[in-house]
Amino acid sequence: MGDLKQYGLVRAQERLRDQVGHALRAALIAGELRPGQVYSAPGLAADLGVSATPVREAMLDLAREGLVEPVRNKGFRITEVSERDLDQYTELRTLIEVPTIGRIAETADRARLEALRPVAEEIVSRAREHDLIGYLEADRRFHLALLALSGNDRLVETVGELRKRSRLYGLTGLDEAGKLVTSAEEHLELLDLMAAGDARGAEDCMRRHLGHVRSLWADARDEPLAHPGEPRARTAGTLARTGEPRAGTAGALARDAAAR
């Protein structure tokens, strides 16, 4: 297992538990923590430079999201998602999101659609900056906020759950190949079509976008483990500078947070 300290402190106002959870998500996305593998809280804590307690708390949060599962007396296993699962999640999202996008394009107030443009632009900028955590977070906010314009809260909750279960692992190689930027730019295309009232075009764009996302899942699953010393894409925007000194203990994390 690599040095997880690179995924450490993210935001000063976050509790240590939240900081650790963010770091673990970053490690998942980068492929540092692998599906099917079991990791102990003390082992992860040593890599992160914190005590085991916030790691256990953070892992329990991830377990509630379906990202990991507890293994008695051993730790936590990173949950695996089969190709069949991914196909089914994509099918469900297509059945729900494509027609919903079409209806929103026909009925939504244009000002409310335009209000989402900064988020769509953020997705693109995060992809270009190689900030994978920021990319996925902005992508989540955009899609769920867009679907919320339907007025159906249960629909938004359902898609949110599907998104959690069809998460991406090991995006570093895809990011370095520039594939995430292409997917990111589709959000602006979708928004333009919807703002123009082109329901059919928006549906086609959404269907194509989901197909591209499914392709990214397949490519990400084929990514090999990075070898020690290989450069990694930035998974946390605020810790992007290579070689920047980082706090190495729970106390140091807390002091650094308090000082900001």
Side-chain angles (χ1 to χ4, degrees):
M1 180 166 53
D3 181 8
L4 299 188
K5 291 180 182 178
Q6 63 184 307
Y7 307 116
L9 183 64
V10 178
R11 294 186 180 91
Q13 69 270 25
E14 291 179 330
R15 297 173 302 165
L16 183 57
R17 170 180 183 163
D18 296 329
Q19 294 174 41
V20 170
H22 195 100
L24 293 173
R25 286 183 181 87
L28 279 167
I29 291 167
E32 191 72 41
L33 301 178
R34 302 294 291 181
Q37 296 295 312
V38 176
Y39 298 91
S40 70
L44 293 172
D47 284 332
L48 285 167
V50 300
S51 67
T53 298
V55 173
R56 290 192 185 93
E57 294 173 342
M59 292 298 270
L60 288 173
D61 290 337
L62 296 183
R64 282 189 284 272
E65 296 177 20
L67 296 175
V68 303
E69 56 185 7
V71 179
R72 187 176 179 83
N73 297 326
K74 290 186 178 180
F76 297 85
R77 178 183 291 111
I78 310 302
T79 56
E80 297 183 88
V81 183
S82 70
E83 293 294 331
R84 185 168 182 267
D85 288 334
L86 293 176
D87 286 339
Q88 291 180 350
Y89 294 146
T90 302
E91 182 179 5
L92 285 171
R93 288 189 61 185
T94 300
L95 290 171
I96 295 171
E97 294 183 62
V98 169
T100 301
I101 289 297
R103 290 196 300 272
I104 293 171
E106 293 176 337
T107 62
D109 180 79
R110 296 299 172 260
R112 297 183 69 185
L113 288 170
E114 285 298 328
L116 294 175
R117 189 168 296 277
V119 186
E121 292 171 344
E122 181 185 350
I123 297 170
V124 178
S125 66
R126 295 291 189 180
R128 288 175 176 165
E129 293 165 2
H130 312 292
D131 179 0
L132 302 184
I133 285 285
Y135 168 86
L136 290 177
E137 173 59 21
D139 178 80
R140 182 193 66 81
R141 285 189 283 115
F142 176 83
H143 281 285
L144 296 187
L146 189 59
L147 292 173
L149 297 180
S150 69
N152 189 329
D153 295 339
R154 301 291 83 76
L155 182 150
V156 176
E157 289 178 3
T158 299
V159 172
E161 184 63 27
L162 288 170
R163 289 176 62 88
K164 286 180 182 179
R165 294 185 178 278
S166 55
R167 61 233 171 239
L168 286 169
Y169 292 130
L171 287 183
T172 301
L174 301 179
D175 171 73
E176 292 170 350
K179 294 183 179 181
L180 296 185
V181 174
T182 300
S183 178
E185 290 173 341
E186 290 175 343
H187 298 85
L188 290 169
E189 178 187 353
L190 176 63
L191 199 57
D192 287 340
L193 290 166
M194 297 181 73
D198 185 352
R200 179 63 63 84
E203 289 181 354
D204 290 343
C205 181
M206 188 67 207
R207 186 178 294 105
R208 173 164 38 90
H209 179 64
L210 288 173
H212 287 171
V213 171
R214 177 63 182 93
S215 297
L216 288 177
W217 289 338
D219 290 345
R221 290 164 69 85
D222 292 337
E223 282 296 307
L225 278 168
H227 295 291
E230 285 187 354
R232 286 189 177 276
R234 281 151 42 183
T235 53
T238 56
L239 289 179
R241 293 177 293 281
T242 303
E244 184 178 68
R246 293 172 175 82
T249 65
L253 284 172
R255 287 194 300 275
D256 190 51
R260 295 195 178 188

